[in-house]
Every structure is written in structure tokens, then in C-alpha cells.
Amino acid sequence: MHIAVIGAGYVGLVTGVGLARIGDHRVTLVEKSPTRLHELEAGIMPIEEPGLPEAFAAARDRID
């Protein structure tokens, strides 16, 4: 399933990463902030959430 999540903030980023980690989901994160997109592409988490960097790294190949 391909899922789009609008906003890569506290709710959208955590939701998108979680959905990418479970099942066979492909997730597209839509974010208007170029700075935030650049950080995510570099693997830098723009928010503090326990376990998020590890979960993001593990699901990176299913997140656009």
C-alpha cells in the first residue's frame, strides 16, 4: 500500500515512520519546509522522539 502523510512534524513524521515499519507500506512524506526536508534526507531528525532515529533508519528504503 502507498500512503501519503502531509507534514513531517511531531505527528506526521512519527506516523509515517511507524507505518513504513509495519507491513509492506510505502510512505511519501509531504513537507513544505525545505530545511526540514533537507534534514530528513541527511538522516537528521528535526524533532526529539525516543527511538525515532533508529526507526527512521530502518524504514528509510520505504519512505519517499
Side-chain angles (χ1 to χ4, degrees):
M1 178 183 302
H2 194 150
I3 301 167
V5 176
I6 300 172
Y10 285 98
V11 174
L13 181 58
V14 174
T15 300
V17 169
L19 289 170
R21 293 279 321 263
I22 62 172
D24 188 26
H25 304 303
R26 180 121 195 114
V27 177
T28 298
L29 290 173
V30 179
E31 174 58 50
K32 68 178 182 176
S33 168
T35 302
R36 183 163 284 182
L37 284 175
H38 184 331
E39 289 175 343
L40 288 170
E41 289 170 351
I44 300 167
M45 295 298 100
I47 62 171
E48 294 270 339
E49 186 68 34
L52 184 60
E54 297 82 10
F56 183 82
R60 180 84 186 240
D61 62 330
R62 288 177 282 185
I63 299 174
D64 298 325

